[in-house]
Amino acid sequence: MSRLLNFPSERLARTFFNVDLSSLKSLRQSCRFTSQLATDQPFRTVHLQPSETSQNGLQEILNNPSLHWTPRKIYIDTVDESLDYDDGEEQKWPQGWDNLVPQVKELPRLNAAVLCFDKGFTSDSRDRDYLHYTDFPQTPQFRFHAMHKLFSLLESLRHPIQDLGIRNLQADNPKDPKTLAKMEKVLSGLLSLRLSITSETNDAAPEHDLEYPEIRKFFKELPRTWLSPAAPSLQHLSLCSREYSGFYPHLDLSNLFFPRLKTLSLGNFCFFHDGQIDWILKHGDTLEEIYFDDCAVLYDFCMMKENVDACALPTDALLRREGSESLYGSFEKRWHHIFDLFAEKLPKLRHFRIGSSNWYPDIPFEQERDIKVGLYYNRYMCCYDGYGPSPYMEGEDPKELADLENAWRPSPECDDEDRAALRKLLAKLGQPVQESYSNRHCGGRIVDLVQRRY
């Protein structure tokens, strides 16, 4: 034991982080020194859920003088798992939370929080043209009320929060000025921001998912509402959404600059013009890690005239093609061009992942390191507005997909170039990678970094 105590406490704390719970209980009984370290690990992260058991557990920590100093991170999960979706039951604000949640500010070392919402979302649109096929327990009113309550808590903490995550953030921003003011205050000064974004789905006609006005408005507002307040201090940014974003709906990050950005993680994001790549490159003085989860180069796209305002390109940048009334555009950059630019112009880059993590049953959250590196065939996609079940065409053999009579274009065939450029980038980073494996989540096999077609 005396030799163990000679180790620095910081190193022992990191070691205890990997110890199982039963061993930690034994260490808590060994001596006063190890007891403190072993007590610290299980309670560094605490959880609050609507159930009475969860509320009682948090209350015990708050009431215990030796434990309430320990938590650094809290997950506040609003989802009431006792509700039956099929009954159409509407969720209420959990009983007891109005008394308990404000007490969280008494945790003196708390510096990270994750707010969790239900993955199902029904927008608040009253327009008769936008039918709602499913009503989920968490109504927009419930979510807005929860956002106000929870940001009121975060605003009241003794020390400003540094790390914030929101799981299943609704694609519809609060309208209440007081809530928006609280959000801006909490976001300013953040070091890490992680958003997974859910939106309304129409199971009967999913090609209409992007036509709801809320999702279009949300993505246009996202940079100003969520990112600008945090820009001066932010070091880690993660954006992942149920729907593909970037092009349609329009998500423009080009006017933002994060002078301290070290980690960038994007999920379901589409690259379709040089400015998006340039935006990443201008963070070359600080950027150390990049994660692309099911991200795609959008090599070809078209929009119906009535939807052009919802995409990211002006009408004069799109052209008609023979045999179609829609407006078309294309992007000539390929992934090997992007990999080469990263290798050349991101001198601080130390880790890079492109591929896919597990998107079932929910949007990936805090899973960047789980991305299986590979050149999946949906890394190149086209977006043809008006086609279903989704305007985004992914996972199809480009030779079968191409239909020149409809002005469609086949996906690029550049596996060899992409593979060589990715290997070159990873070698420069000194990053080992498994080049061949089966990925049960996407139903494909990666061989020499490239997904095999069946």
Side-chain angles (χ1 to χ4, degrees), residues 249-264:
H250 183 194
L251 173 57
D252 183 8
L253 304 175
S254 61
N255 292 323
L256 293 168
F257 179 66
F258 303 94
R260 303 176 64 189
L261 190 66
K262 294 181 179 180
T263 304
L264 176 65

Side-chain angles (χ1 to χ4, degrees), residues 51 102 330 419:
S51 71
S330 59
R419 178 193 292 112

